[in-house]
Amino acid sequence: RLPAPLKRLFIMGNSGLTSLECLSGEHPPSLESLWLERCSTLASLPNEPQVYRSLWSLEITGCPAIKKLPRCLQQQLGSIKRKWLDARYEVTEFKPLKPKTWKEIPRLVRERRQACRS
């Protein structure tokens, strides 16, 4: 069980944690930063918009069990100021650009990251 006024959550190198569904509950958190690094068994993130409403910093790297970001988080990506995502999660951001081949995606990822950093 997590405290209700949770603002930052950093989970690094965790093996055994499979879900962050605890973030969705009766008291929606005011989560501003979510960093997940090298969480090999983490497979599930909440699919509730209120969980990500206050989010301005997101990092998800080295979490191979997360196959796809929840739809509500994908929709929030454009409004998150600081993000660092493995390239496979960023593919969902290219819908308006519609890459013609998979070979274009690494270039688009680089361009998107550079734009976010500047």
Side-chain angles (χ1 to χ4, degrees), residues 32-35 54-59 80-83:
E32 295 174 355
S33 296
L34 176 61
W35 290 12
S54 302
L55 203 63
W56 64 268
S57 176
L58 174 67
E59 178 173 339
I80 297 173
K81 291 176 179 57
R82 185 216 171 265
K83 55 187 174 227

Side-chain angles (χ1 to χ4, degrees), residues 50-67:
Q50 73 268 16
V51 172
Y52 309 107
R53 190 168 291 137
S54 302
L55 203 63
W56 64 268
S57 176
L58 174 67
E59 178 173 339
I60 304 176
T61 56
C63 302
I66 299 175
K67 302 297 181 199

